[in-house]
Amino acid sequence: MKKILITGGSGFLAKRVGDYIAEDPGMIVLLPTHSELDITSKDSCRKWFEDNMPDMVIHLAAISDITECEKNEGLSRSVNIQGPLNLADCFREFGCTGRFIYASSDQVYTANRTADRLNKETDTLAPVNLYGREKLEAEERVSSVLPESIAVRMDWMFDLRPGKMNYLKNLILSVKEQIPTKHALNELRAETYAYEVAVNMKTLVLSDASGGAYNFGGPAYGNSYDTAKAVYELLGEYMKMPVGDLAVPVRYESARSLAMDQSKLNSIGISFRNTVDSVRCCLEREAGDVHSFLRENGGAAWT
Ligand SMILES: NC(=O)c1ccc[n+]([C@@H]2O[C@H](COP(=O)([O-])OP(=O)(O)OC[C@H]3O[C@@H](n4cnc5c(N)ncnc54)[C@H](OP(=O)(O)O)[C@@H]3O)[C@@H](O)[C@H]2O)c1
């Protein structure tokens, strides 16, 4: 049996990754909440490692809201930089032998002002927001403590399980209420199905891939407007509702690309679907959840 610590136990992604890995009878998933393990406290981390001795770690706890980071820089630095460092130190100190994987973000690529260039792990980076800078600093500092650790640079995730709003939930509500949404012609990015992230995260944690940063999300389908149009078409068929004018094209003052090159990830045998295919997959897997999501958000679902 292998013991795996997944931090951020009550968070969006930790629950999904935890549920998926726990299906494996060879794995024991330890999913402490913030109150059970405060990653900003070295003592709390040491005590937790002493009591539980994990073989491997998937670190997902964070201040993950970009605006929240800007509002409270002291707290976000301590959670997003000191937190992963404390865990990495304990991992080394307690002689853990498995993988150490931790969440980074496509926000490290926010300086890319083109609408077409894919971001590569080897690019020189200068994130424009604090959250992106914190994620990048954490990558640099954790990898100096644990060179074999892996930072996963993830993009915006969605599914239909209860919890915070996301890309797909926004578009489903837009179809139901027939309220248009704006999407940029000069932006390239992808959104990824959280279940697919969980499946690929398990493959990665059991892999012998070299340490470093990996782009860990789907390839872009097209620019953000074309992607939204295609997702709306899928939803229109699925919900049997009109979607003709719901995607409104806009142009940002400055182009941007958060889209991630897949070659390094593909070279270790891992791949993701593009946004449209992953929405299709989510609708197929979580059909029942579409109806409960809509019931929770304004009355009867379509039939
Ligand atoms: N969701 C996305 O689309 C997305 C995209 C790219 C990257 N990421 C990254 O992926 C990771 C997971 O994201 P997520 O969406 O699951 O985040 P989330 O839902 O905001 O969950 C973060 C978790 O961290 C916990 N936490 C905060 N401070 C803590 C501390 N001092 N000690 C221990 N736990 C603490 C929170 O617990 P409390 O609420 O109880 O404080 C919460 O459960 C994050 O690193 C995020 O930056 C997410």
Side-chain angles (χ1 to χ4, degrees), residues 8-14 33-35 37-40 59-65 79 103-106 131 135 154-158 164:
S10 59
F12 168 86
L13 188 57
T33 60
H34 186 170
S35 58
L37 166 61
D38 178 359
I39 60 165
T40 63
H59 167 51
L60 302 176
I63 303 294
S64 64
D65 183 307
V79 177
S104 185
S105 166
D106 62 357
Y131 171 79
K135 288 292 190 187
M154 295 182 287
D155 48 31
W156 199 18
M157 284 168 266
F158 64 80
K164 58 189 175 187

PDB file of all heavy atoms in Angstrom, residues 8-14 33-35 37-40 59-65 79 103-106 131 135 154-158 164, ligand 1:
ATOM      1  N   GLY A   8      -4.986  20.507   0.811  1.00  0.00           N
ATOM      2  CA  GLY A   8      -6.148  21.309   0.371  1.00  0.00           C
ATOM      3  C   GLY A   8      -7.407  20.465   0.347  1.00  0.00           C
ATOM      4  O   GLY A   8      -8.240  20.600  -0.552  1.00  0.00           O
ATOM      5  N   GLY A   9      -7.545  19.588   1.365  1.00  0.00           N
ATOM      6  CA  GLY A   9      -8.585  18.551   1.388  1.00  0.00           C
ATOM      7  C   GLY A   9      -9.997  19.004   1.072  1.00  0.00           C
ATOM      8  O   GLY A   9     -10.775  18.236   0.518  1.00  0.00           O
ATOM      9  N   SER A  10     -10.341  20.254   1.401  1.00  0.00           N
ATOM     10  CA  SER A  10     -11.717  20.682   1.116  1.00  0.00           C
ATOM     11  C   SER A  10     -11.787  21.466  -0.197  1.00  0.00           C
ATOM     12  O   SER A  10     -12.828  22.005  -0.555  1.00  0.00           O
ATOM     13  CB  SER A  10     -12.257  21.533   2.272  1.00  0.00           C
ATOM     14  OG  SER A  10     -11.407  22.651   2.416  1.00  0.00           O
ATOM     15  N   GLY A  11     -10.684  21.541  -0.918  1.00  0.00           N
ATOM     16  CA  GLY A  11     -10.654  22.351  -2.138  1.00  0.00           C
ATOM     17  C   GLY A  11     -11.241  21.635  -3.344  1.00  0.00           C
ATOM     18  O   GLY A  11     -11.456  20.418  -3.332  1.00  0.00           O
ATOM     19  N   PHE A  12     -11.443  22.390  -4.399  1.00  0.00           N
ATOM     20  CA  PHE A  12     -12.050  21.896  -5.644  1.00  0.00           C
ATOM     21  C   PHE A  12     -11.285  20.689  -6.201  1.00  0.00           C
ATOM     22  O   PHE A  12     -11.829  19.606  -6.400  1.00  0.00           O
ATOM     23  CB  PHE A  12     -12.060  23.061  -6.658  1.00  0.00           C
ATOM     24  CG  PHE A  12     -12.388  22.677  -8.064  1.00  0.00           C
ATOM     25  CD1 PHE A  12     -13.712  22.598  -8.485  1.00  0.00           C
ATOM     26  CD2 PHE A  12     -11.385  22.407  -8.988  1.00  0.00           C
ATOM     27  CE1 PHE A  12     -14.023  22.246  -9.790  1.00  0.00           C
ATOM     28  CE2 PHE A  12     -11.687  22.060 -10.296  1.00  0.00           C
ATOM     29  CZ  PHE A  12     -13.007  21.980 -10.695  1.00  0.00           C
ATOM     30  N   LEU A  13      -9.998  20.862  -6.431  1.00  0.00           N
ATOM     31  CA  LEU A  13      -9.262  19.819  -7.142  1.00  0.00           C
ATOM     32  C   LEU A  13      -8.867  18.655  -6.233  1.00  0.00           C
ATOM     33  O   LEU A  13      -8.905  17.492  -6.659  1.00  0.00           O
ATOM     34  CB  LEU A  13      -8.011  20.417  -7.815  1.00  0.00           C
ATOM     35  CG  LEU A  13      -7.261  19.483  -8.751  1.00  0.00           C
ATOM     36  CD1 LEU A  13      -8.165  18.959  -9.865  1.00  0.00           C
ATOM     37  CD2 LEU A  13      -6.054  20.186  -9.360  1.00  0.00           C
ATOM     38  N   ALA A  14      -8.524  18.964  -4.975  1.00  0.00           N
ATOM     39  CA  ALA A  14      -8.080  17.893  -4.071  1.00  0.00           C
ATOM     40  C   ALA A  14      -9.176  16.841  -3.904  1.00  0.00           C
ATOM     41  O   ALA A  14      -8.907  15.636  -3.907  1.00  0.00           O
ATOM     42  CB  ALA A  14      -7.693  18.492  -2.719  1.00  0.00           C
ATOM     43  N   THR A  33      -7.716  18.639   5.784  1.00  0.00           N
ATOM     44  CA  THR A  33      -8.240  19.982   5.510  1.00  0.00           C
ATOM     45  C   THR A  33      -7.266  21.010   6.103  1.00  0.00           C
ATOM     46  O   THR A  33      -6.326  20.650   6.817  1.00  0.00           O
ATOM     47  CB  THR A  33      -9.616  20.169   6.166  1.00  0.00           C
ATOM     48  OG1 THR A  33      -9.434  19.987   7.565  1.00  0.00           O
ATOM     49  CG2 THR A  33     -10.638  19.175   5.630  1.00  0.00           C
ATOM     50  N   HIS A  34      -7.548  22.260   5.844  1.00  0.00           N
ATOM     51  CA  HIS A  34      -6.723  23.362   6.351  1.00  0.00           C
ATOM     52  C   HIS A  34      -6.569  23.281   7.872  1.00  0.00           C
ATOM     53  O   HIS A  34      -5.469  23.465   8.405  1.00  0.00           O
ATOM     54  CB  HIS A  34      -7.406  24.671   5.925  1.00  0.00           C
ATOM     55  CG  HIS A  34      -6.630  25.899   6.238  1.00  0.00           C
ATOM     56  ND1 HIS A  34      -6.996  27.116   5.741  1.00  0.00           N
ATOM     57  CD2 HIS A  34      -5.531  26.130   6.995  1.00  0.00           C
ATOM     58  CE1 HIS A  34      -6.148  28.035   6.173  1.00  0.00           C
ATOM     59  NE2 HIS A  34      -5.253  27.459   6.934  1.00  0.00           N
ATOM     60  N   SER A  35      -7.682  22.962   8.569  1.00  0.00           N
ATOM     61  CA  SER A  35      -7.593  22.958  10.033  1.00  0.00           C
ATOM     62  C   SER A  35      -6.789  21.754  10.536  1.00  0.00           C
ATOM     63  O   SER A  35      -6.248  21.777  11.637  1.00  0.00           O
ATOM     64  CB  SER A  35      -8.987  22.978  10.671  1.00  0.00           C
ATOM     65  OG  SER A  35      -9.708  21.878  10.215  1.00  0.00           O
ATOM     66  N   LEU A  37      -4.109  20.440   8.747  1.00  0.00           N
ATOM     67  CA  LEU A  37      -2.704  20.661   8.345  1.00  0.00           C
ATOM     68  C   LEU A  37      -2.608  22.068   7.774  1.00  0.00           C
ATOM     69  O   LEU A  37      -3.125  22.340   6.683  1.00  0.00           O
ATOM     70  CB  LEU A  37      -2.290  19.623   7.281  1.00  0.00           C
ATOM     71  CG  LEU A  37      -0.984  19.916   6.516  1.00  0.00           C
ATOM     72  CD1 LEU A  37       0.212  19.978   7.460  1.00  0.00           C
ATOM     73  CD2 LEU A  37      -0.754  18.863   5.437  1.00  0.00           C
ATOM     74  N   ASP A  38      -1.948  22.957   8.547  1.00  0.00           N
ATOM     75  CA  ASP A  38      -1.754  24.336   8.059  1.00  0.00           C
ATOM     76  C   ASP A  38      -0.376  24.389   7.403  1.00  0.00           C
ATOM     77  O   ASP A  38       0.648  24.348   8.083  1.00  0.00           O
ATOM     78  CB  ASP A  38      -1.849  25.312   9.234  1.00  0.00           C
ATOM     79  CG  ASP A  38      -1.614  26.745   8.771  1.00  0.00           C
ATOM     80  OD1 ASP A  38      -1.363  26.964   7.557  1.00  0.00           O
ATOM     81  OD2 ASP A  38      -1.667  27.649   9.626  1.00  0.00           O
ATOM     82  N   ILE A  39      -0.357  24.494   6.080  1.00  0.00           N
ATOM     83  CA  ILE A  39       0.927  24.397   5.371  1.00  0.00           C
ATOM     84  C   ILE A  39       1.838  25.596   5.620  1.00  0.00           C
ATOM     85  O   ILE A  39       3.026  25.533   5.330  1.00  0.00           O
ATOM     86  CB  ILE A  39       0.714  24.184   3.853  1.00  0.00           C
ATOM     87  CG1 ILE A  39      -0.080  25.350   3.245  1.00  0.00           C
ATOM     88  CG2 ILE A  39       0.042  22.849   3.579  1.00  0.00           C
ATOM     89  CD1 ILE A  39      -0.010  25.399   1.730  1.00  0.00           C
ATOM     90  N   THR A  40       1.288  26.693   6.156  1.00  0.00           N
ATOM     91  CA  THR A  40       2.145  27.857   6.423  1.00  0.00           C
ATOM     92  C   THR A  40       2.965  27.664   7.707  1.00  0.00           C
ATOM     93  O   THR A  40       3.864  28.440   7.980  1.00  0.00           O
ATOM     94  CB  THR A  40       1.325  29.162   6.549  1.00  0.00           C
ATOM     95  OG1 THR A  40       0.448  29.037   7.665  1.00  0.00           O
ATOM     96  CG2 THR A  40       0.521  29.436   5.294  1.00  0.00           C
ATOM     97  N   HIS A  59       0.502  18.327  -3.841  1.00  0.00           N
ATOM     98  CA  HIS A  59       0.211  19.540  -3.072  1.00  0.00           C
ATOM     99  C   HIS A  59      -0.720  20.461  -3.875  1.00  0.00           C
ATOM    100  O   HIS A  59      -0.310  21.028  -4.895  1.00  0.00           O
ATOM    101  CB  HIS A  59       1.531  20.244  -2.739  1.00  0.00           C
ATOM    102  CG  HIS A  59       1.318  21.630  -2.244  1.00  0.00           C
ATOM    103  ND1 HIS A  59       0.438  21.922  -1.217  1.00  0.00           N
ATOM    104  CD2 HIS A  59       1.840  22.820  -2.643  1.00  0.00           C
ATOM    105  CE1 HIS A  59       0.432  23.229  -1.023  1.00  0.00           C
ATOM    106  NE2 HIS A  59       1.266  23.797  -1.875  1.00  0.00           N
ATOM    107  N   LEU A  60      -1.961  20.612  -3.380  1.00  0.00           N
ATOM    108  CA  LEU A  60      -2.958  21.415  -4.108  1.00  0.00           C
ATOM    109  C   LEU A  60      -3.523  22.563  -3.280  1.00  0.00           C
ATOM    110  O   LEU A  60      -4.291  23.379  -3.793  1.00  0.00           O
ATOM    111  CB  LEU A  60      -4.119  20.510  -4.572  1.00  0.00           C
ATOM    112  CG  LEU A  60      -3.719  19.334  -5.479  1.00  0.00           C
ATOM    113  CD1 LEU A  60      -4.933  18.470  -5.796  1.00  0.00           C
ATOM    114  CD2 LEU A  60      -3.065  19.824  -6.766  1.00  0.00           C
ATOM    115  N   ALA A  61      -3.168  22.647  -1.992  1.00  0.00           N
ATOM    116  CA  ALA A  61      -3.676  23.761  -1.172  1.00  0.00           C
ATOM    117  C   ALA A  61      -3.081  25.068  -1.681  1.00  0.00           C
ATOM    118  O   ALA A  61      -1.928  25.109  -2.117  1.00  0.00           O
ATOM    119  CB  ALA A  61      -3.287  23.550   0.289  1.00  0.00           C
ATOM    120  N   ALA A  62      -3.859  26.119  -1.653  1.00  0.00           N
ATOM    121  CA  ALA A  62      -3.360  27.409  -2.156  1.00  0.00           C
ATOM    122  C   ALA A  62      -4.373  28.502  -1.847  1.00  0.00           C
ATOM    123  O   ALA A  62      -5.518  28.231  -1.493  1.00  0.00           O
ATOM    124  CB  ALA A  62      -3.172  27.344  -3.677  1.00  0.00           C
ATOM    125  N   ILE A  63      -3.935  29.756  -2.007  1.00  0.00           N
ATOM    126  CA  ILE A  63      -4.883  30.843  -2.231  1.00  0.00           C
ATOM    127  C   ILE A  63      -4.967  30.897  -3.747  1.00  0.00           C
ATOM    128  O   ILE A  63      -4.038  31.361  -4.424  1.00  0.00           O
ATOM    129  CB  ILE A  63      -4.379  32.189  -1.665  1.00  0.00           C
ATOM    130  CG1 ILE A  63      -4.066  32.084  -0.170  1.00  0.00           C
ATOM    131  CG2 ILE A  63      -5.391  33.299  -1.937  1.00  0.00           C
ATOM    132  CD1 ILE A  63      -5.250  31.830   0.739  1.00  0.00           C
ATOM    133  N   SER A  64      -6.070  30.366  -4.294  1.00  0.00           N
ATOM    134  CA  SER A  64      -6.126  30.137  -5.739  1.00  0.00           C
ATOM    135  C   SER A  64      -6.854  31.245  -6.495  1.00  0.00           C
ATOM    136  O   SER A  64      -6.925  31.215  -7.712  1.00  0.00           O
ATOM    137  CB  SER A  64      -6.819  28.799  -6.017  1.00  0.00           C
ATOM    138  OG  SER A  64      -8.152  28.849  -5.571  1.00  0.00           O
ATOM    139  N   ASP A  65      -7.396  32.196  -5.741  1.00  0.00           N
ATOM    140  CA  ASP A  65      -8.152  33.283  -6.368  1.00  0.00           C
ATOM    141  C   ASP A  65      -7.205  34.471  -6.620  1.00  0.00           C
ATOM    142  O   ASP A  65      -6.599  35.004  -5.691  1.00  0.00           O
ATOM    143  CB  ASP A  65      -9.290  33.669  -5.408  1.00  0.00           C
ATOM    144  CG  ASP A  65     -10.176  34.741  -5.980  1.00  0.00           C
ATOM    145  OD1 ASP A  65      -9.648  35.795  -6.388  1.00  0.00           O
ATOM    146  OD2 ASP A  65     -11.404  34.544  -6.006  1.00  0.00           O
ATOM    147  N   VAL A  79       0.987  31.273   1.965  1.00  0.00           N
ATOM    148  CA  VAL A  79       0.350  30.006   1.548  1.00  0.00           C
ATOM    149  C   VAL A  79       0.977  29.498   0.238  1.00  0.00           C
ATOM    150  O   VAL A  79       1.300  28.324   0.104  1.00  0.00           O
ATOM    151  CB  VAL A  79      -1.177  30.184   1.375  1.00  0.00           C
ATOM    152  CG1 VAL A  79      -1.820  28.894   0.873  1.00  0.00           C
ATOM    153  CG2 VAL A  79      -1.825  30.618   2.686  1.00  0.00           C
ATOM    154  N   ALA A 103       0.915  22.063  -7.458  1.00  0.00           N
ATOM    155  CA  ALA A 103       0.139  22.797  -8.452  1.00  0.00           C
ATOM    156  C   ALA A 103       0.770  24.143  -8.766  1.00  0.00           C
ATOM    157  O   ALA A 103       1.017  24.960  -7.880  1.00  0.00           O
ATOM    158  CB  ALA A 103      -1.278  23.029  -7.922  1.00  0.00           C
ATOM    159  N   SER A 104       1.013  24.367 -10.054  1.00  0.00           N
ATOM    160  CA  SER A 104       1.331  25.698 -10.528  1.00  0.00           C
ATOM    161  C   SER A 104       0.185  26.124 -11.442  1.00  0.00           C
ATOM    162  O   SER A 104      -0.929  25.593 -11.307  1.00  0.00           O
ATOM    163  CB  SER A 104       2.683  25.702 -11.242  1.00  0.00           C
ATOM    164  OG  SER A 104       3.039  27.034 -11.593  1.00  0.00           O
ATOM    165  N   SER A 105       0.425  27.050 -12.359  1.00  0.00           N
ATOM    166  CA  SER A 105      -0.711  27.610 -13.091  1.00  0.00           C
ATOM    167  C   SER A 105      -0.280  28.158 -14.451  1.00  0.00           C
ATOM    168  O   SER A 105       0.880  28.572 -14.630  1.00  0.00           O
ATOM    169  CB  SER A 105      -1.290  28.753 -12.249  1.00  0.00           C
ATOM    170  OG  SER A 105      -2.172  29.531 -13.013  1.00  0.00           O
ATOM    171  N   ASP A 106      -1.243  28.203 -15.372  1.00  0.00           N
ATOM    172  CA  ASP A 106      -0.966  28.848 -16.670  1.00  0.00           C
ATOM    173  C   ASP A 106      -0.771  30.357 -16.494  1.00  0.00           C
ATOM    174  O   ASP A 106      -0.324  31.036 -17.419  1.00  0.00           O
ATOM    175  CB  ASP A 106      -2.084  28.552 -17.687  1.00  0.00           C
ATOM    176  CG  ASP A 106      -3.447  29.083 -17.281  1.00  0.00           C
ATOM    177  OD1 ASP A 106      -3.579  29.654 -16.177  1.00  0.00           O
ATOM    178  OD2 ASP A 106      -4.400  28.933 -18.075  1.00  0.00           O
ATOM    179  N   TYR A 131      -0.388  36.398  -8.302  1.00  0.00           N
ATOM    180  CA  TYR A 131      -0.610  34.951  -8.225  1.00  0.00           C
ATOM    181  C   TYR A 131       0.373  34.209  -9.145  1.00  0.00           C
ATOM    182  O   TYR A 131       1.026  33.248  -8.736  1.00  0.00           O
ATOM    183  CB  TYR A 131      -2.061  34.674  -8.618  1.00  0.00           C
ATOM    184  CG  TYR A 131      -2.455  33.228  -8.807  1.00  0.00           C
ATOM    185  CD1 TYR A 131      -2.722  32.394  -7.725  1.00  0.00           C
ATOM    186  CD2 TYR A 131      -2.605  32.690 -10.089  1.00  0.00           C
ATOM    187  CE1 TYR A 131      -3.117  31.075  -7.913  1.00  0.00           C
ATOM    188  CE2 TYR A 131      -2.995  31.373 -10.285  1.00  0.00           C
ATOM    189  CZ  TYR A 131      -3.251  30.568  -9.198  1.00  0.00           C
ATOM    190  OH  TYR A 131      -3.641  29.264  -9.393  1.00  0.00           O
ATOM    191  N   LYS A 135       3.368  31.669  -8.004  1.00  0.00           N
ATOM    192  CA  LYS A 135       3.478  30.291  -8.506  1.00  0.00           C
ATOM    193  C   LYS A 135       4.882  30.053  -9.094  1.00  0.00           C
ATOM    194  O   LYS A 135       5.486  29.012  -8.869  1.00  0.00           O
ATOM    195  CB  LYS A 135       2.412  30.026  -9.570  1.00  0.00           C
ATOM    196  CG  LYS A 135       0.984  29.922  -9.010  1.00  0.00           C
ATOM    197  CD  LYS A 135       0.813  28.690  -8.152  1.00  0.00           C
ATOM    198  CE  LYS A 135      -0.621  28.402  -7.774  1.00  0.00           C
ATOM    199  NZ  LYS A 135      -0.758  27.310  -6.811  1.00  0.00           N
ATOM    200  N   MET A 154      -1.391  24.285 -14.572  1.00  0.00           N
ATOM    201  CA  MET A 154      -2.753  23.918 -14.991  1.00  0.00           C
ATOM    202  C   MET A 154      -3.532  25.143 -15.456  1.00  0.00           C
ATOM    203  O   MET A 154      -3.275  26.259 -15.018  1.00  0.00           O
ATOM    204  CB  MET A 154      -3.475  23.264 -13.804  1.00  0.00           C
ATOM    205  CG  MET A 154      -2.814  21.945 -13.412  1.00  0.00           C
ATOM    206  SD  MET A 154      -3.653  21.099 -12.075  1.00  0.00           S
ATOM    207  CE  MET A 154      -3.197  22.109 -10.686  1.00  0.00           C
ATOM    208  N   ASP A 155      -4.505  24.893 -16.350  1.00  0.00           N
ATOM    209  CA  ASP A 155      -5.380  25.997 -16.765  1.00  0.00           C
ATOM    210  C   ASP A 155      -6.724  25.888 -16.047  1.00  0.00           C
ATOM    211  O   ASP A 155      -6.893  25.054 -15.158  1.00  0.00           O
ATOM    212  CB  ASP A 155      -5.511  26.076 -18.295  1.00  0.00           C
ATOM    213  CG  ASP A 155      -5.815  24.739 -18.919  1.00  0.00           C
ATOM    214  OD1 ASP A 155      -6.483  23.915 -18.258  1.00  0.00           O
ATOM    215  OD2 ASP A 155      -5.387  24.516 -20.075  1.00  0.00           O
ATOM    216  N   TRP A 156      -7.675  26.730 -16.433  1.00  0.00           N
ATOM    217  CA  TRP A 156      -8.945  26.816 -15.706  1.00  0.00           C
ATOM    218  C   TRP A 156      -9.706  25.506 -15.864  1.00  0.00           C
ATOM    219  O   TRP A 156      -9.907  25.038 -16.987  1.00  0.00           O
ATOM    220  CB  TRP A 156      -9.762  27.991 -16.251  1.00  0.00           C
ATOM    221  CG  TRP A 156     -10.838  28.446 -15.317  1.00  0.00           C
ATOM    222  CD1 TRP A 156     -10.935  28.185 -13.985  1.00  0.00           C
ATOM    223  CD2 TRP A 156     -11.974  29.265 -15.651  1.00  0.00           C
ATOM    224  NE1 TRP A 156     -12.048  28.791 -13.452  1.00  0.00           N
ATOM    225  CE2 TRP A 156     -12.699  29.448 -14.457  1.00  0.00           C
ATOM    226  CE3 TRP A 156     -12.437  29.852 -16.831  1.00  0.00           C
ATOM    227  CZ2 TRP A 156     -13.872  30.197 -14.403  1.00  0.00           C
ATOM    228  CZ3 TRP A 156     -13.603  30.600 -16.777  1.00  0.00           C
ATOM    229  CH2 TRP A 156     -14.310  30.776 -15.581  1.00  0.00           C
ATOM    230  N   MET A 157     -10.103  24.918 -14.745  1.00  0.00           N
ATOM    231  CA  MET A 157     -10.762  23.610 -14.796  1.00  0.00           C
ATOM    232  C   MET A 157     -12.260  23.728 -14.601  1.00  0.00           C
ATOM    233  O   MET A 157     -12.734  24.666 -13.960  1.00  0.00           O
ATOM    234  CB  MET A 157     -10.189  22.727 -13.694  1.00  0.00           C
ATOM    235  CG  MET A 157      -8.825  22.197 -14.035  1.00  0.00           C
ATOM    236  SD  MET A 157      -8.054  21.474 -12.600  1.00  0.00           S
ATOM    237  CE  MET A 157      -7.115  22.833 -11.966  1.00  0.00           C
ATOM    238  N   PHE A 158     -12.980  22.747 -15.120  1.00  0.00           N
ATOM    239  CA  PHE A 158     -14.433  22.740 -14.944  1.00  0.00           C
ATOM    240  C   PHE A 158     -14.924  21.328 -14.700  1.00  0.00           C
ATOM    241  O   PHE A 158     -14.259  20.345 -15.040  1.00  0.00           O
ATOM    242  CB  PHE A 158     -15.124  23.327 -16.187  1.00  0.00           C
ATOM    243  CG  PHE A 158     -14.917  22.516 -17.433  1.00  0.00           C
ATOM    244  CD1 PHE A 158     -15.672  21.375 -17.687  1.00  0.00           C
ATOM    245  CD2 PHE A 158     -13.935  22.855 -18.346  1.00  0.00           C
ATOM    246  CE1 PHE A 158     -15.471  20.608 -18.822  1.00  0.00           C
ATOM    247  CE2 PHE A 158     -13.717  22.086 -19.491  1.00  0.00           C
ATOM    248  CZ  PHE A 158     -14.489  20.964 -19.725  1.00  0.00           C
ATOM    249  N   LYS A 164     -17.837  25.846  -6.706  1.00  0.00           N
ATOM    250  CA  LYS A 164     -17.692  27.152  -7.341  1.00  0.00           C
ATOM    251  C   LYS A 164     -18.005  27.116  -8.840  1.00  0.00           C
ATOM    252  O   LYS A 164     -17.928  26.066  -9.480  1.00  0.00           O
ATOM    253  CB  LYS A 164     -16.314  27.737  -7.061  1.00  0.00           C
ATOM    254  CG  LYS A 164     -15.122  26.900  -7.495  1.00  0.00           C
ATOM    255  CD  LYS A 164     -13.809  27.511  -6.955  1.00  0.00           C
ATOM    256  CE  LYS A 164     -12.610  26.625  -7.270  1.00  0.00           C
ATOM    257  NZ  LYS A 164     -11.373  27.066  -6.651  1.00  0.00           N
TER     258      LYS A 164
HETATM  259  N1  LIG B   1      -9.217  25.568 -10.107  1.00  0.00           N
HETATM  260  C1  LIG B   1      -8.549  25.922 -11.188  1.00  0.00           C
HETATM  261  O1  LIG B   1      -9.161  26.115 -12.254  1.00  0.00           O
HETATM  262  C2  LIG B   1      -7.033  26.057 -11.147  1.00  0.00           C
HETATM  263  C3  LIG B   1      -6.351  26.415 -12.322  1.00  0.00           C
HETATM  264  C4  LIG B   1      -4.949  26.470 -12.304  1.00  0.00           C
HETATM  265  C5  LIG B   1      -4.252  26.191 -11.143  1.00  0.00           C
HETATM  266  N2  LIG B   1      -4.945  25.868 -10.011  1.00  0.00           N
HETATM  267  C6  LIG B   1      -4.169  25.550  -8.800  1.00  0.00           C
HETATM  268  O2  LIG B   1      -4.523  24.220  -8.437  1.00  0.00           O
HETATM  269  C7  LIG B   1      -4.540  24.083  -7.006  1.00  0.00           C
HETATM  270  C8  LIG B   1      -5.910  23.609  -6.577  1.00  0.00           C
HETATM  271  O3  LIG B   1      -6.865  24.597  -6.937  1.00  0.00           O
HETATM  272  P1  LIG B   1      -8.347  24.556  -6.386  1.00  0.00           P
HETATM  273  O4  LIG B   1      -9.214  25.189  -7.406  1.00  0.00           O
HETATM  274  O5  LIG B   1      -8.659  23.196  -5.890  1.00  0.00           O
HETATM  275  O6  LIG B   1      -8.227  25.554  -5.163  1.00  0.00           O
HETATM  276  P2  LIG B   1      -9.317  25.818  -3.996  1.00  0.00           P
HETATM  277  O7  LIG B   1     -10.620  25.200  -4.350  1.00  0.00           O
HETATM  278  O8  LIG B   1      -9.261  27.280  -3.727  1.00  0.00           O
HETATM  279  O9  LIG B   1      -8.737  25.013  -2.782  1.00  0.00           O
HETATM  280  C9  LIG B   1      -7.584  25.434  -2.093  1.00  0.00           C
HETATM  281  C10 LIG B   1      -7.574  24.763  -0.756  1.00  0.00           C
HETATM  282  O10 LIG B   1      -6.401  25.196  -0.038  1.00  0.00           O
HETATM  283  C11 LIG B   1      -6.759  25.287   1.322  1.00  0.00           C
HETATM  284  N3  LIG B   1      -5.839  26.146   2.061  1.00  0.00           N
HETATM  285  C12 LIG B   1      -5.720  27.509   2.023  1.00  0.00           C
HETATM  286  N4  LIG B   1      -4.785  27.911   2.894  1.00  0.00           N
HETATM  287  C13 LIG B   1      -4.293  26.798   3.484  1.00  0.00           C
HETATM  288  C14 LIG B   1      -3.307  26.565   4.464  1.00  0.00           C
HETATM  289  N5  LIG B   1      -2.625  27.579   5.049  1.00  0.00           N
HETATM  290  N6  LIG B   1      -3.056  25.285   4.848  1.00  0.00           N
HETATM  291  C15 LIG B   1      -3.735  24.254   4.298  1.00  0.00           C
HETATM  292  N7  LIG B   1      -4.695  24.407   3.373  1.00  0.00           N
HETATM  293  C16 LIG B   1      -4.967  25.672   2.959  1.00  0.00           C
HETATM  294  C17 LIG B   1      -8.168  25.847   1.307  1.00  0.00           C
HETATM  295  O11 LIG B   1      -8.804  25.538   2.523  1.00  0.00           O
HETATM  296  P3  LIG B   1      -9.721  26.656   3.268  1.00  0.00           P
HETATM  297  O12 LIG B   1     -10.691  27.108   2.216  1.00  0.00           O
HETATM  298  O13 LIG B   1     -10.343  25.884   4.378  1.00  0.00           O
HETATM  299  O14 LIG B   1      -8.768  27.731   3.699  1.00  0.00           O
HETATM  300  C18 LIG B   1      -8.777  25.101   0.133  1.00  0.00           C
HETATM  301  O15 LIG B   1      -9.361  23.896   0.558  1.00  0.00           O
HETATM  302  C19 LIG B   1      -4.136  25.453  -6.482  1.00  0.00           C
HETATM  303  O16 LIG B   1      -2.745  25.469  -6.289  1.00  0.00           O
HETATM  304  C20 LIG B   1      -4.491  26.399  -7.596  1.00  0.00           C
HETATM  305  O17 LIG B   1      -3.702  27.566  -7.556  1.00  0.00           O
HETATM  306  C21 LIG B   1      -6.303  25.786  -9.998  1.00  0.00           C
END
